[in-house]
PDB file of all heavy atoms in Angstrom:
ATOM      1  N   ILE A 339      10.852 -63.344  46.082  1.00 98.00           N
ATOM      2  CA  ILE A 339      10.600 -62.841  44.712  1.00 98.00           C
ATOM      3  C   ILE A 339      11.870 -62.915  43.850  1.00 98.00           C
ATOM      4  O   ILE A 339      11.851 -63.262  42.683  1.00 98.00           O
ATOM      5  CB  ILE A 339      10.054 -61.390  44.754  1.00 98.00           C
ATOM      6  CG1 ILE A 339       8.756 -61.360  45.546  1.00 98.00           C
ATOM      7  CG2 ILE A 339       9.898 -60.795  43.382  1.00 98.00           C
ATOM      8  CD1 ILE A 339       8.206 -59.951  45.810  1.00 98.00           C
ATOM      9  N   LEU A 340      12.994 -62.580  44.517  1.00 98.00           N
ATOM     10  CA  LEU A 340      14.269 -62.599  43.783  1.00 98.00           C
ATOM     11  C   LEU A 340      14.560 -64.049  43.306  1.00 98.00           C
ATOM     12  O   LEU A 340      14.946 -64.269  42.146  1.00 98.00           O
ATOM     13  CB  LEU A 340      15.417 -62.120  44.699  1.00 98.00           C
ATOM     14  CG  LEU A 340      16.792 -62.023  44.095  1.00 98.00           C
ATOM     15  CD1 LEU A 340      16.826 -60.894  43.048  1.00 98.00           C
ATOM     16  CD2 LEU A 340      17.848 -61.758  45.159  1.00 98.00           C
ATOM     17  N   ALA A 341      14.430 -65.017  44.217  1.00 98.00           N
ATOM     18  CA  ALA A 341      14.683 -66.403  43.846  1.00 98.00           C
ATOM     19  C   ALA A 341      13.762 -66.785  42.704  1.00 98.00           C
ATOM     20  O   ALA A 341      14.165 -67.480  41.754  1.00 98.00           O
ATOM     21  CB  ALA A 341      14.440 -67.299  45.072  1.00 98.00           C
ATOM     22  N   TYR A 342      12.521 -66.395  42.800  1.00 98.00           N
ATOM     23  CA  TYR A 342      11.508 -66.779  41.730  1.00 98.00           C
ATOM     24  C   TYR A 342      11.967 -66.246  40.418  1.00 98.00           C
ATOM     25  O   TYR A 342      11.997 -66.966  39.396  1.00 98.00           O
ATOM     26  CB  TYR A 342      10.141 -66.224  42.152  1.00 98.00           C
ATOM     27  CG  TYR A 342       9.140 -66.399  41.019  1.00 98.00           C
ATOM     28  CD1 TYR A 342       8.554 -67.641  40.796  1.00 98.00           C
ATOM     29  CD2 TYR A 342       8.880 -65.367  40.104  1.00 98.00           C
ATOM     30  CE1 TYR A 342       7.695 -67.826  39.676  1.00 98.00           C
ATOM     31  CE2 TYR A 342       8.026 -65.571  39.042  1.00 98.00           C
ATOM     32  CZ  TYR A 342       7.420 -66.789  38.859  1.00 98.00           C
ATOM     33  OH  TYR A 342       6.572 -66.969  37.790  1.00 98.00           O
ATOM     34  N   HIS A 343      12.327 -64.952  40.344  1.00 98.00           N
ATOM     35  CA  HIS A 343      12.722 -64.357  39.074  1.00 98.00           C
ATOM     36  C   HIS A 343      13.977 -64.991  38.543  1.00 98.00           C
ATOM     37  O   HIS A 343      14.138 -65.211  37.327  1.00 98.00           O
ATOM     38  CB  HIS A 343      12.812 -62.850  39.158  1.00 98.00           C
ATOM     39  CG  HIS A 343      11.470 -62.167  39.232  1.00 98.00           C
ATOM     40  ND1 HIS A 343      10.472 -62.423  38.367  1.00 98.00           N
ATOM     41  CD2 HIS A 343      11.023 -61.261  40.108  1.00 98.00           C
ATOM     42  CE1 HIS A 343       9.400 -61.635  38.698  1.00 98.00           C
ATOM     43  NE2 HIS A 343       9.744 -60.962  39.743  1.00 98.00           N
ATOM     44  N   VAL A 344      14.988 -65.198  39.395  1.00 98.00           N
ATOM     45  CA  VAL A 344      16.202 -65.866  38.963  1.00 98.00           C
ATOM     46  C   VAL A 344      15.881 -67.227  38.325  1.00 98.00           C
ATOM     47  O   VAL A 344      16.379 -67.541  37.264  1.00 98.00           O
ATOM     48  CB  VAL A 344      17.191 -66.018  40.096  1.00 98.00           C
ATOM     49  CG1 VAL A 344      18.361 -66.938  39.743  1.00 98.00           C
ATOM     50  CG2 VAL A 344      17.755 -64.655  40.573  1.00 98.00           C
ATOM     51  N   ALA A 345      15.041 -67.989  38.986  1.00 98.00           N
ATOM     52  CA  ALA A 345      14.715 -69.337  38.468  1.00 98.00           C
ATOM     53  C   ALA A 345      13.988 -69.259  37.139  1.00 98.00           C
ATOM     54  O   ALA A 345      14.240 -70.025  36.225  1.00 98.00           O
ATOM     55  CB  ALA A 345      13.855 -70.088  39.510  1.00 98.00           C
ATOM     56  N   THR A 346      13.046 -68.309  37.001  1.00 98.00           N
ATOM     57  CA  THR A 346      12.307 -68.249  35.734  1.00 98.00           C
ATOM     58  C   THR A 346      13.248 -67.777  34.596  1.00 98.00           C
ATOM     59  O   THR A 346      13.170 -68.273  33.481  1.00 98.00           O
ATOM     60  CB  THR A 346      11.065 -67.337  35.805  1.00 98.00           C
ATOM     61  OG1 THR A 346      11.442 -66.083  36.375  1.00 98.00           O
ATOM     62  CG2 THR A 346       9.997 -67.965  36.694  1.00 98.00           C
ATOM     63  N   LEU A 347      14.159 -66.859  34.940  1.00 98.00           N
ATOM     64  CA  LEU A 347      15.117 -66.390  33.903  1.00 98.00           C
ATOM     65  C   LEU A 347      15.959 -67.538  33.434  1.00 98.00           C
ATOM     66  O   LEU A 347      16.388 -67.615  32.294  1.00 98.00           O
ATOM     67  CB  LEU A 347      15.963 -65.252  34.445  1.00 98.00           C
ATOM     68  CG  LEU A 347      15.314 -63.888  34.559  1.00 98.00           C
ATOM     69  CD1 LEU A 347      16.121 -62.967  35.506  1.00 98.00           C
ATOM     70  CD2 LEU A 347      15.159 -63.247  33.206  1.00 98.00           C
ATOM     71  N   LYS A 348      16.231 -68.492  34.345  1.00 97.00           N
ATOM     72  CA  LYS A 348      17.042 -69.667  33.955  1.00 97.00           C
ATOM     73  C   LYS A 348      16.170 -70.728  33.305  1.00 97.00           C
ATOM     74  O   LYS A 348      16.695 -71.772  32.929  1.00 97.00           O
ATOM     75  CB  LYS A 348      17.726 -70.244  35.204  1.00 97.00           C
ATOM     76  CG  LYS A 348      18.780 -69.300  35.759  1.00 97.00           C
ATOM     77  CD  LYS A 348      19.661 -69.979  36.771  1.00 97.00           C
ATOM     78  CE  LYS A 348      20.595 -70.972  36.099  1.00 97.00           C
ATOM     79  NZ  LYS A 348      21.605 -71.515  37.041  1.00 97.00           N
ATOM     80  N   GLY A 349      14.918 -70.513  33.244  1.00 96.00           N
ATOM     81  CA  GLY A 349      14.033 -71.474  32.602  1.00 96.00           C
ATOM     82  C   GLY A 349      13.765 -72.729  33.459  1.00 96.00           C
ATOM     83  O   GLY A 349      13.412 -73.779  32.936  1.00 96.00           O
ATOM     84  N   ALA A 350      13.968 -72.607  34.764  1.00 94.00           N
ATOM     85  CA  ALA A 350      13.790 -73.785  35.627  1.00 94.00           C
ATOM     86  C   ALA A 350      12.315 -74.063  35.877  1.00 94.00           C
ATOM     87  O   ALA A 350      11.452 -73.208  35.706  1.00 94.00           O
ATOM     88  CB  ALA A 350      14.508 -73.503  36.950  1.00 94.00           C
ATOM     89  N   ASP A 351      12.065 -75.342  36.259  1.00 93.00           N
ATOM     90  CA  ASP A 351      10.710 -75.737  36.557  1.00 93.00           C
ATOM     91  C   ASP A 351      10.418 -75.319  38.016  1.00 93.00           C
ATOM     92  O   ASP A 351      10.609 -76.073  38.969  1.00 93.00           O
ATOM     93  CB  ASP A 351      10.612 -77.271  36.404  1.00 93.00           C
ATOM     94  CG  ASP A 351       9.174 -77.762  36.578  1.00 93.00           C
ATOM     95  OD1 ASP A 351       8.281 -76.978  36.959  1.00 93.00           O
ATOM     96  OD2 ASP A 351       8.946 -78.970  36.364  1.00 93.00           O
ATOM     97  N   VAL A 352       9.939 -74.075  38.170  1.00 95.00           N
ATOM     98  CA  VAL A 352       9.871 -73.430  39.476  1.00 95.00           C
ATOM     99  C   VAL A 352       9.028 -74.240  40.484  1.00 95.00           C
ATOM    100  O   VAL A 352       9.428 -74.385  41.634  1.00 95.00           O
ATOM    101  CB  VAL A 352       9.245 -71.996  39.335  1.00 95.00           C
ATOM    102  CG1 VAL A 352       9.055 -71.398  40.681  1.00 95.00           C
ATOM    103  CG2 VAL A 352      10.175 -71.157  38.504  1.00 95.00           C
ATOM    104  N   ASP A 353       7.865 -74.688  40.065  1.00 94.00           N
ATOM    105  CA  ASP A 353       6.958 -75.358  41.023  1.00 94.00           C
ATOM    106  C   ASP A 353       7.388 -76.759  41.413  1.00 94.00           C
ATOM    107  O   ASP A 353       7.018 -77.240  42.447  1.00 94.00           O
ATOM    108  CB  ASP A 353       5.543 -75.385  40.431  1.00 94.00           C
ATOM    109  CG  ASP A 353       4.863 -73.996  40.515  1.00 94.00           C
ATOM    110  OD1 ASP A 353       5.300 -73.189  41.339  1.00 94.00           O
ATOM    111  OD2 ASP A 353       3.954 -73.792  39.706  1.00 94.00           O
ATOM    112  N   LYS A 354       8.152 -77.378  40.487  1.00 93.00           N
ATOM    113  CA  LYS A 354       8.570 -78.773  40.738  1.00 93.00           C
ATOM    114  C   LYS A 354      10.037 -78.936  40.516  1.00 93.00           C
ATOM    115  O   LYS A 354      10.499 -79.536  39.534  1.00 93.00           O
ATOM    116  CB  LYS A 354       7.814 -79.708  39.800  1.00 93.00           C
ATOM    117  CG  LYS A 354       6.346 -79.969  40.197  1.00 93.00           C
ATOM    118  CD  LYS A 354       5.867 -81.270  39.539  1.00 93.00           C
ATOM    119  CE  LYS A 354       4.546 -81.674  40.041  1.00 93.00           C
ATOM    120  NZ  LYS A 354       3.487 -80.706  39.830  1.00 93.00           N
ATOM    121  N   PRO A 355      10.870 -78.371  41.381  1.00 93.00           N
ATOM    122  CA  PRO A 355      12.332 -78.465  41.167  1.00 93.00           C
ATOM    123  C   PRO A 355      12.812 -79.921  41.167  1.00 93.00           C
ATOM    124  O   PRO A 355      12.195 -80.761  41.820  1.00 93.00           O
ATOM    125  CB  PRO A 355      12.922 -77.656  42.333  1.00 93.00           C
ATOM    126  CG  PRO A 355      11.811 -77.211  43.181  1.00 93.00           C
ATOM    127  CD  PRO A 355      10.510 -77.663  42.604  1.00 93.00           C
ATOM    128  N   ARG A 356      13.888 -80.133  40.457  1.00 92.00           N
ATOM    129  CA  ARG A 356      14.450 -81.488  40.369  1.00 92.00           C
ATOM    130  C   ARG A 356      14.797 -82.028  41.744  1.00 92.00           C
ATOM    131  O   ARG A 356      15.192 -81.289  42.636  1.00 92.00           O
ATOM    132  CB  ARG A 356      15.653 -81.488  39.453  1.00 92.00           C
ATOM    133  CG  ARG A 356      16.846 -80.780  40.031  1.00 92.00           C
ATOM    134  CD  ARG A 356      18.023 -80.714  39.023  1.00 92.00           C
ATOM    135  NE  ARG A 356      19.121 -80.052  39.676  1.00 92.00           N
ATOM    136  CZ  ARG A 356      20.081 -79.393  39.035  1.00 92.00           C
ATOM    137  NH1 ARG A 356      20.026 -79.278  37.694  1.00 92.00           N
ATOM    138  NH2 ARG A 356      21.063 -78.803  39.666  1.00 92.00           N
ATOM    139  N   ASN A 357      14.688 -83.338  41.862  1.00 92.00           N
ATOM    140  CA  ASN A 357      15.141 -84.075  43.082  1.00 92.00           C
ATOM    141  C   ASN A 357      14.324 -83.761  44.334  1.00 92.00           C
ATOM    142  O   ASN A 357      14.682 -84.287  45.418  1.00 92.00           O
ATOM    143  CB  ASN A 357      16.602 -83.842  43.436  1.00 92.00           C
ATOM    144  CG  ASN A 357      17.531 -84.088  42.218  1.00 92.00           C
ATOM    145  OD1 ASN A 357      17.126 -84.717  41.268  1.00 92.00           O
ATOM    146  ND2 ASN A 357      18.734 -83.578  42.293  1.00 92.00           N
ATOM    147  N   LEU A 358      13.352 -82.924  44.279  1.00 93.00           N
ATOM    148  CA  LEU A 358      12.648 -82.537  45.514  1.00 93.00           C
ATOM    149  C   LEU A 358      11.209 -82.973  45.529  1.00 93.00           C
ATOM    150  O   LEU A 358      10.580 -83.085  44.507  1.00 93.00           O
ATOM    151  CB  LEU A 358      12.671 -81.008  45.709  1.00 93.00           C
ATOM    152  CG  LEU A 358      14.033 -80.364  45.912  1.00 93.00           C
ATOM    153  CD1 LEU A 358      13.919 -78.853  45.916  1.00 93.00           C
ATOM    154  CD2 LEU A 358      14.633 -80.843  47.246  1.00 93.00           C
ATOM    155  N   ALA A 359      10.689 -83.242  46.768  1.00 89.00           N
ATOM    156  CA  ALA A 359       9.278 -83.602  46.894  1.00 89.00           C
ATOM    157  C   ALA A 359       8.659 -82.548  47.855  1.00 89.00           C
ATOM    158  O   ALA A 359       9.349 -81.971  48.670  1.00 89.00           O
ATOM    159  CB  ALA A 359       9.122 -85.002  47.515  1.00 89.00           C
TER     160      ALA A 359
END
Side-chain angles (χ1 to χ4, degrees):
I339 298 172
L340 184 68
Y342 172 79
H343 286 309
V344 168
T346 51
L347 285 163
K348 293 192 73 172
D351 186 353
V352 174
D353 285 336
K354 285 201 170 58
R356 69 185 180 207
N357 308 342
L358 295 174

